[in-house]
Amino acid sequence: MSHREDAIGGLRLAFLLGNPVSHSLSPLIHNAAFKALGIAAEYQAVDVRRTELPEAIERLRVGRVLGANVTIPHKETAVELVDDLTSDAAATHAVNTILVSEPGRLIGANTDVEGFSQPLKAYVDALRGGSAVILGAGGAARAAAFALLGGMGPRRLTVVARRRDQAAKLIEDLGSEDINNVLDRASFDDAAPAVRASQLIVNATPVGMAPKEDTSPWPTISDFHEGQVVYDLIYAPTTTRLMRDAESCGAHTIGGMPMLLAQAAASFKLWTGREMPLGAVRKALLGTF
Ligand code: NAP
């Protein structure tokens, strides 16, 4: 029996490694999926401090482990702690999923790239060749920038950050993907022309997240207009102030919940080889919001 078949046959574990993890919906999502498919596996969230990450990842090599998700603040450090990287993880310099590909061997993947791209599919033809802005320059912004360079082929892609060095590092790290030299950076103070001229605006900051639901990463409503898509990666609340502001100006909006489900489904498929039963997962999530 192969490791993968054995993994589906007996009780296996999958973990979320991050800090903090208590608010995470991932245990609910993955455990609902395991249950719906009759897979004898359990997903557990584990609070892991920075100094504990190497040992936590080492422990995945032994025992009945399918893999793990890695979240804030460990996605970049995890790159150095696995044996191999998928192309998405290598390009973004970030790992959000670890797969135990055979006993003891750890592959680092980044399913945030697939998760980000999936909800945009309906818009991508209309957006192709247009300009885009990403607010924020952290891990999610990296996944978004990589996905957009490959999928949207933007004329210009501006990364808006409050720390210039963070945006500069993102642009440097994604340099080999930026074959048309479209990556650009701006501060929040000088990004208004780019926001107004963009067909796609992505919020990859936590601004607007519960409990501070009345805040917005881009409070200037007059910069939004018809023909724009405003994609907020925040999933709690499911509709943010940014989305409401943009909708009031005629823009299309996408929230973070579809990305959350799509990145989870991609991780689940890596671990089990099965499609995530999204109906059962959505039902389990219903009580949460
Ligand atoms: P991260 O690595 O910590 O990056 C956050 C970015 O936002 C950084 O550039 C940070 O700048 C910036 N930022 C934070 N507070 C800010 C403020 N008040 N004003 C301006 N910029 C600010 O976090 P992440 O993993 O990329 O996550 C970012 C957001 O995406 C979170 O809301 C997260 O929930 C969401 N997300 C959603 C999904 C999904 O599946 N829907 C997946 C991943 C992430 P500094 O470094 O200077 O603070």
Side-chain angles (χ1 to χ4, degrees), residues 88-138:
D88 288 357
T92 53
H93 296 250
V95 163
N96 83 325
T97 302
I98 297 173
L99 165 70
V100 185
S101 70
E102 56 192 67
R105 185 164 175 77
L106 306 180
I107 309 291
N110 190 327
T111 67
D112 283 338
V113 176
E114 163 69 14
F116 172 84
S117 303
Q118 222 270 338
L120 262 185
K121 280 189 179 143
Y123 299 96
V124 92
D125 284 342
L127 291 172
R128 203 176 303 286
S131 296
V133 159
I134 299 174
L135 306 174

Tab-separated table of all heavy atoms in Angstrom, residues 88-138:
chain	number	residue	atom	x	y	z
A	88	ASP	N	4.998	27.460	-7.265
A	88	ASP	CA	4.284	28.586	-6.654
A	88	ASP	C	4.979	29.043	-5.365
A	88	ASP	O	5.123	30.238	-5.121
A	88	ASP	CB	2.835	28.188	-6.299
A	88	ASP	CG	1.962	28.039	-7.526
A	88	ASP	OD1	2.457	28.298	-8.633
A	88	ASP	OD2	0.791	27.660	-7.373
A	89	ALA	N	5.388	28.073	-4.553
A	89	ALA	CA	6.048	28.419	-3.285
A	89	ALA	C	7.424	29.025	-3.540
A	89	ALA	O	7.820	29.982	-2.872
A	89	ALA	CB	6.164	27.178	-2.406
A	90	ALA	N	8.142	28.481	-4.529
A	90	ALA	CA	9.473	29.020	-4.826
A	90	ALA	C	9.360	30.456	-5.326
A	90	ALA	O	10.102	31.339	-4.901
A	90	ALA	CB	10.161	28.138	-5.859
A	91	ALA	N	8.388	30.709	-6.213
A	91	ALA	CA	8.274	32.048	-6.801
A	91	ALA	C	7.809	33.089	-5.785
A	91	ALA	O	8.235	34.237	-5.827
A	91	ALA	CB	7.314	32.008	-7.993
A	92	THR	N	6.922	32.697	-4.877
A	92	THR	CA	6.387	33.661	-3.906
A	92	THR	C	7.238	33.730	-2.635
A	92	THR	O	7.009	34.581	-1.787
A	92	THR	CB	4.944	33.287	-3.493
A	92	THR	OG1	4.944	31.924	-3.056
A	92	THR	CG2	3.977	33.451	-4.640
A	93	HIS	N	8.211	32.817	-2.505
A	93	HIS	CA	9.040	32.735	-1.284
A	93	HIS	C	8.144	32.557	-0.064
A	93	HIS	O	8.402	33.138	0.994
A	93	HIS	CB	9.922	33.982	-1.105
A	93	HIS	CG	10.943	34.153	-2.184
A	93	HIS	ND1	12.289	33.980	-1.990
A	93	HIS	CD2	10.794	34.462	-3.488
A	93	HIS	CE1	12.929	34.179	-3.116
A	93	HIS	NE2	12.042	34.475	-4.037
A	94	ALA	N	7.069	31.798	-0.207
A	94	ALA	CA	6.142	31.592	0.906
A	94	ALA	C	5.494	30.207	0.785
A	94	ALA	O	5.120	29.796	-0.322
A	94	ALA	CB	5.060	32.669	0.908
A	95	VAL	N	5.378	29.527	1.919
A	95	VAL	CA	4.746	28.197	1.982
A	95	VAL	C	3.513	28.298	2.871
A	95	VAL	O	3.619	28.725	4.021
A	95	VAL	CB	5.741	27.169	2.584
A	95	VAL	CG1	5.027	25.917	3.057
A	95	VAL	CG2	6.819	26.805	1.573
A	96	ASN	N	2.336	27.947	2.332
A	96	ASN	CA	1.152	27.893	3.214
A	96	ASN	C	0.665	26.460	3.390
A	96	ASN	O	-0.242	26.217	4.187
A	96	ASN	CB	0.017	28.791	2.693
A	96	ASN	CG	-0.819	28.109	1.638
A	96	ASN	OD1	-0.289	27.330	0.833
A	96	ASN	ND2	-2.117	28.375	1.637
A	97	THR	N	1.269	25.515	2.647
A	97	THR	CA	0.859	24.110	2.745
A	97	THR	C	2.089	23.221	2.682
A	97	THR	O	2.955	23.444	1.827
A	97	THR	CB	-0.070	23.736	1.565
A	97	THR	OG1	-1.193	24.607	1.579
A	97	THR	CG2	-0.562	22.304	1.649
A	98	ILE	N	2.158	22.263	3.584
A	98	ILE	CA	3.230	21.259	3.528
A	98	ILE	C	2.587	19.906	3.282
A	98	ILE	O	1.608	19.537	3.941
A	98	ILE	CB	4.050	21.237	4.837
A	98	ILE	CG1	4.747	22.595	5.041
A	98	ILE	CG2	5.073	20.113	4.808
A	98	ILE	CD1	5.459	22.733	6.386
A	99	LEU	N	3.137	19.202	2.323
A	99	LEU	CA	2.659	17.860	1.986
A	99	LEU	C	3.739	16.850	2.368
A	99	LEU	O	4.909	17.038	2.000
A	99	LEU	CB	2.390	17.804	0.474
A	99	LEU	CG	2.224	16.422	-0.148
A	99	LEU	CD1	0.917	15.790	0.298
A	99	LEU	CD2	2.267	16.520	-1.668
A	100	VAL	N	3.341	15.810	3.107
A	100	VAL	CA	4.274	14.707	3.367
A	100	VAL	C	4.136	13.779	2.165
A	100	VAL	O	3.226	12.977	2.082
A	100	VAL	CB	3.941	13.977	4.691
A	100	VAL	CG1	5.002	12.923	5.000
A	100	VAL	CG2	3.851	14.970	5.839
A	101	SER	N	5.049	13.942	1.192
A	101	SER	CA	4.846	13.281	-0.104
A	101	SER	C	5.160	11.797	-0.028
A	101	SER	O	4.635	11.004	-0.766
A	101	SER	CB	5.697	13.941	-1.175
A	101	SER	OG	7.043	13.655	-0.945
A	102	GLU	N	6.074	11.423	0.815
A	102	GLU	CA	6.357	10.014	1.106
A	102	GLU	C	6.846	10.059	2.538
A	102	GLU	O	7.185	11.141	3.020
A	102	GLU	CB	7.418	9.462	0.159
A	102	GLU	CG	8.696	10.257	0.195
A	102	GLU	CD	9.645	9.899	-0.947
A	102	GLU	OE1	9.320	10.164	-2.105
A	102	GLU	OE2	10.688	9.352	-0.620
A	103	PRO	N	6.890	8.940	3.244
A	103	PRO	CA	7.235	9.056	4.665
A	103	PRO	C	8.505	9.883	4.868
A	103	PRO	O	9.558	9.589	4.328
A	103	PRO	CB	7.431	7.604	5.092
A	103	PRO	CG	6.540	6.845	4.175
A	103	PRO	CD	6.594	7.566	2.848
A	104	GLY	N	8.322	10.961	5.618
A	104	GLY	CA	9.475	11.757	6.006
A	104	GLY	C	9.889	12.855	5.044
A	104	GLY	O	10.755	13.661	5.367
A	105	ARG	N	9.291	12.933	3.862
A	105	ARG	CA	9.722	13.954	2.899
A	105	ARG	C	8.679	15.067	2.815
A	105	ARG	O	7.502	14.825	2.590
A	105	ARG	CB	9.921	13.311	1.525
A	105	ARG	CG	10.477	14.285	0.516
A	105	ARG	CD	11.035	13.597	-0.714
A	105	ARG	NE	11.441	14.604	-1.698
A	105	ARG	CZ	12.543	15.317	-1.604
A	105	ARG	NH1	13.362	15.138	-0.571
A	105	ARG	NH2	12.831	16.229	-2.515
A	106	LEU	N	9.141	16.310	2.991
A	106	LEU	CA	8.219	17.446	3.072
A	106	LEU	C	8.317	18.344	1.839
A	106	LEU	O	9.398	18.840	1.501
A	106	LEU	CB	8.527	18.279	4.324
A	106	LEU	CG	8.560	17.534	5.662
A	106	LEU	CD1	8.873	18.497	6.803
A	106	LEU	CD2	7.237	16.803	5.911
A	107	ILE	N	7.166	18.546	1.187
A	107	ILE	CA	7.101	19.440	0.028
A	107	ILE	C	6.341	20.696	0.446
A	107	ILE	O	5.222	20.622	0.949
A	107	ILE	CB	6.316	18.802	-1.145
A	107	ILE	CG1	6.830	17.395	-1.459
A	107	ILE	CG2	6.354	19.702	-2.380
A	107	ILE	CD1	8.188	17.319	-2.045
A	108	GLY	N	6.920	21.863	0.206
A	108	GLY	CA	6.265	23.131	0.516
A	108	GLY	C	5.531	23.659	-0.706
A	108	GLY	O	6.109	23.763	-1.794
A	109	ALA	N	4.268	23.991	-0.524
A	109	ALA	CA	3.450	24.506	-1.632
A	109	ALA	C	2.821	25.830	-1.217
A	109	ALA	O	2.826	26.189	-0.042
A	109	ALA	CB	2.359	23.489	-1.986
A	110	ASN	N	2.294	26.556	-2.189
A	110	ASN	CA	1.570	27.788	-1.854
A	110	ASN	C	0.210	27.764	-2.542
A	110	ASN	O	0.090	28.165	-3.708
A	110	ASN	CB	2.364	29.028	-2.266
A	110	ASN	CG	1.722	30.292	-1.701
A	110	ASN	OD1	0.492	30.364	-1.565
A	110	ASN	ND2	2.535	31.257	-1.340
A	111	THR	N	-0.814	27.278	-1.826
A	111	THR	CA	-2.148	27.190	-2.429
A	111	THR	C	-2.892	28.524	-2.355
A	111	THR	O	-3.994	28.643	-2.882
A	111	THR	CB	-2.994	26.072	-1.775
A	111	THR	OG1	-3.276	26.423	-0.414
A	111	THR	CG2	-2.296	24.727	-1.827
A	112	ASP	N	-2.279	29.554	-1.703
A	112	ASP	CA	-2.881	30.895	-1.761
A	112	ASP	C	-2.913	31.406	-3.207
A	112	ASP	O	-3.785	32.201	-3.565
A	112	ASP	CB	-2.083	31.898	-0.905
A	112	ASP	CG	-2.355	31.740	0.589
A	112	ASP	OD1	-3.419	31.196	0.947
A	112	ASP	OD2	-1.507	32.173	1.395
A	113	VAL	N	-1.952	30.957	-4.017
A	113	VAL	CA	-1.912	31.405	-5.420
A	113	VAL	C	-3.154	30.886	-6.155
A	113	VAL	O	-3.889	31.661	-6.788
A	113	VAL	CB	-0.611	30.926	-6.117
A	113	VAL	CG1	-0.626	31.295	-7.588
A	113	VAL	CG2	0.612	31.515	-5.411
A	114	GLU	N	-3.407	29.582	-6.040
A	114	GLU	CA	-4.606	28.991	-6.650
A	114	GLU	C	-5.870	29.571	-6.014
A	114	GLU	O	-6.849	29.885	-6.686
A	114	GLU	CB	-4.553	27.459	-6.481
A	114	GLU	CG	-5.854	26.698	-6.672
A	114	GLU	CD	-6.323	26.719	-8.109
A	114	GLU	OE1	-5.524	27.080	-8.983
A	114	GLU	OE2	-7.510	26.374	-8.337
A	115	GLY	N	-5.831	29.723	-4.674
A	115	GLY	CA	-6.992	30.272	-3.954
A	115	GLY	C	-7.338	31.667	-4.399
A	115	GLY	O	-8.513	31.997	-4.604
A	116	PHE	N	-6.332	32.503	-4.594
A	116	PHE	CA	-6.554	33.876	-5.053
A	116	PHE	C	-7.102	33.881	-6.489
A	116	PHE	O	-7.994	34.661	-6.818
A	116	PHE	CB	-5.226	34.657	-5.002
A	116	PHE	CG	-5.299	36.021	-5.620
A	116	PHE	CD1	-5.767	37.100	-4.882
A	116	PHE	CD2	-4.934	36.235	-6.935
A	116	PHE	CE1	-5.867	38.370	-5.448
A	116	PHE	CE2	-5.023	37.490	-7.511
A	116	PHE	CZ	-5.490	38.558	-6.767
A	117	SER	N	-6.551	33.026	-7.328
A	117	SER	CA	-6.882	33.060	-8.767
A	117	SER	C	-8.290	32.560	-9.055
A	117	SER	O	-8.966	33.068	-9.956
A	117	SER	CB	-5.907	32.175	-9.549
A	117	SER	OG	-4.597	32.585	-9.311
A	118	GLN	N	-8.716	31.554	-8.299
A	118	GLN	CA	-9.981	30.878	-8.628
A	118	GLN	C	-11.175	31.836	-8.695
A	118	GLN	O	-11.890	31.842	-9.694
A	118	GLN	CB	-10.187	29.759	-7.607
A	118	GLN	CG	-10.687	28.478	-8.197
A	118	GLN	CD	-12.190	28.462	-8.188
A	118	GLN	OE1	-12.782	29.198	-7.403
A	118	GLN	NE2	-12.777	27.682	-9.044
A	119	PRO	N	-11.405	32.698	-7.686
A	119	PRO	CA	-12.572	33.604	-7.753
A	119	PRO	C	-12.446	34.681	-8.827
A	119	PRO	O	-13.439	35.308	-9.198
A	119	PRO	CB	-12.595	34.262	-6.356
A	119	PRO	CG	-11.746	33.407	-5.493
A	119	PRO	CD	-10.724	32.775	-6.383
A	120	LEU	N	-11.231	34.886	-9.343
A	120	LEU	CA	-11.027	35.929	-10.374
A	120	LEU	C	-11.294	35.406	-11.782
A	120	LEU	O	-11.335	36.185	-12.734
A	120	LEU	CB	-9.583	36.434	-10.317
A	120	LEU	CG	-9.290	37.721	-9.552
A	120	LEU	CD1	-7.825	38.094	-9.737
A	120	LEU	CD2	-10.183	38.873	-9.995
A	121	LYS	N	-11.458	34.086	-11.894
A	121	LYS	CA	-11.552	33.478	-13.235
A	121	LYS	C	-12.654	34.119	-14.069
A	121	LYS	O	-12.494	34.332	-15.268
A	121	LYS	CB	-11.742	31.968	-13.130
A	121	LYS	CG	-10.420	31.284	-12.876
A	121	LYS	CD	-10.503	29.782	-12.971
A	121	LYS	CE	-9.113	29.204	-12.716
A	121	LYS	NZ	-9.110	27.974	-11.966
A	122	ALA	N	-13.779	34.437	-13.407
A	122	ALA	CA	-14.917	34.998	-14.155
A	122	ALA	C	-14.591	36.382	-14.724
A	122	ALA	O	-15.261	36.850	-15.642
A	122	ALA	CB	-16.128	35.095	-13.233
A	123	TYR	N	-13.589	37.038	-14.185
A	123	TYR	CA	-13.277	38.417	-14.582
A	123	TYR	C	-12.022	38.532	-15.438
A	123	TYR	O	-11.727	39.592	-15.973
A	123	TYR	CB	-13.065	39.286	-13.338
A	123	TYR	CG	-14.267	39.384	-12.444
A	123	TYR	CD1	-14.417	38.557	-11.349
A	123	TYR	CD2	-15.276	40.319	-12.707
A	123	TYR	CE1	-15.529	38.646	-10.519
A	123	TYR	CE2	-16.387	40.414	-11.893
A	123	TYR	CZ	-16.503	39.576	-10.807
A	123	TYR	OH	-17.610	39.679	-10.000
A	124	VAL	N	-11.250	37.448	-15.515
A	124	VAL	CA	-9.886	37.595	-16.010
A	124	VAL	C	-9.822	38.048	-17.472
A	124	VAL	O	-8.958	38.848	-17.840
A	124	VAL	CB	-9.061	36.312	-15.716
A	124	VAL	CG1	-9.091	35.325	-16.835
A	124	VAL	CG2	-7.657	36.671	-15.305
A	125	ASP	N	-10.777	37.612	-18.297
A	125	ASP	CA	-10.743	38.048	-19.698
A	125	ASP	C	-10.953	39.552	-19.799
A	125	ASP	O	-10.267	40.238	-20.554
A	125	ASP	CB	-11.801	37.302	-20.529
A	125	ASP	CG	-11.343	35.876	-20.809
A	125	ASP	OD1	-10.122	35.617	-20.677
A	125	ASP	OD2	-12.206	35.030	-21.103
A	126	ALA	N	-11.907	40.066	-19.012
A	126	ALA	CA	-12.173	41.504	-19.030
A	126	ALA	C	-10.996	42.302	-18.468
A	126	ALA	O	-10.758	43.436	-18.873
A	126	ALA	CB	-13.437	41.805	-18.229
A	127	LEU	N	-10.267	41.699	-17.545
A	127	LEU	CA	-9.176	42.431	-16.877
A	127	LEU	C	-7.861	42.376	-17.658
A	127	LEU	O	-6.976	43.203	-17.436
A	127	LEU	CB	-8.929	41.842	-15.481
A	127	LEU	CG	-10.030	42.064	-14.440
A	127	LEU	CD1	-9.746	41.255	-13.174
A	127	LEU	CD2	-10.138	43.552	-14.089
A	128	ARG	N	-7.737	41.417	-18.570
A	128	ARG	CA	-6.445	41.184	-19.231
A	128	ARG	C	-5.909	42.461	-19.869
A	128	ARG	O	-6.620	43.161	-20.580
A	128	ARG	CB	-6.593	40.081	-20.292
A	128	ARG	CG	-5.276	39.404	-20.626
A	128	ARG	CD	-5.475	38.251	-21.596
A	128	ARG	NE	-6.420	37.215	-21.146
A	128	ARG	CZ	-6.152	36.313	-20.207
A	128	ARG	NH1	-4.992	36.311	-19.614
A	128	ARG	NH2	-7.062	35.424	-19.880
A	129	GLY	N	-4.657	42.749	-19.561
A	129	GLY	CA	-4.010	43.929	-20.149
A	129	GLY	C	-4.339	45.225	-19.427
A	129	GLY	O	-3.804	46.283	-19.773
A	130	GLY	N	-5.204	45.175	-18.412
A	130	GLY	CA	-5.522	46.382	-17.648
A	130	GLY	C	-4.497	46.602	-16.540
A	130	GLY	O	-3.535	45.856	-16.403
A	131	SER	N	-4.730	47.643	-15.735
A	131	SER	CA	-3.830	47.931	-14.616
A	131	SER	C	-4.426	47.401	-13.319
A	131	SER	O	-5.647	47.284	-13.193
A	131	SER	CB	-3.615	49.442	-14.482
A	131	SER	OG	-2.963	49.913	-15.625
A	132	ALA	N	-3.559	47.131	-12.359
A	132	ALA	CA	-4.017	46.620	-11.069
A	132	ALA	C	-3.195	47.226	-9.950
A	132	ALA	O	-2.046	47.630	-10.139
A	132	ALA	CB	-3.897	45.094	-11.036
A	133	VAL	N	-3.837	47.282	-8.782
A	133	VAL	CA	-3.187	47.768	-7.569
A	133	VAL	C	-3.361	46.709	-6.500
A	133	VAL	O	-4.455	46.141	-6.365
A	133	VAL	CB	-3.848	49.098	-7.109
A	133	VAL	CG1	-3.583	49.351	-5.640
A	133	VAL	CG2	-3.347	50.274	-7.941
A	134	ILE	N	-2.309	46.432	-5.738
A	134	ILE	CA	-2.420	45.575	-4.556
A	134	ILE	C	-2.089	46.433	-3.342
A	134	ILE	O	-1.008	47.036	-3.286
A	134	ILE	CB	-1.443	44.375	-4.622
A	134	ILE	CG1	-1.754	43.504	-5.848
A	134	ILE	CG2	-1.528	43.540	-3.344
A	134	ILE	CD1	-0.749	42.375	-6.078
A	135	LEU	N	-3.029	46.514	-2.404
A	135	LEU	CA	-2.789	47.239	-1.157
A	135	LEU	C	-2.182	46.260	-0.169
A	135	LEU	O	-2.800	45.238	0.154
A	135	LEU	CB	-4.098	47.809	-0.605
A	135	LEU	CG	-4.918	48.688	-1.567
A	135	LEU	CD1	-6.262	49.070	-0.929
A	135	LEU	CD2	-4.141	49.943	-1.960
A	136	GLY	N	-0.962	46.540	0.304
A	136	GLY	CA	-0.259	45.623	1.196
A	136	GLY	C	0.847	44.908	0.444
A	136	GLY	O	0.803	44.815	-0.807
A	137	ALA	N	1.856	44.445	1.203
A	137	ALA	CA	3.013	43.805	0.559
A	137	ALA	C	3.488	42.597	1.363
A	137	ALA	O	4.660	42.235	1.323
A	137	ALA	CB	4.143	44.827	0.410
A	138	GLY	N	2.551	41.960	2.105
A	138	GLY	CA	2.889	40.782	2.908
A	138	GLY	C	2.707	39.496	2.114
A	138	GLY	O	2.770	39.488	0.873
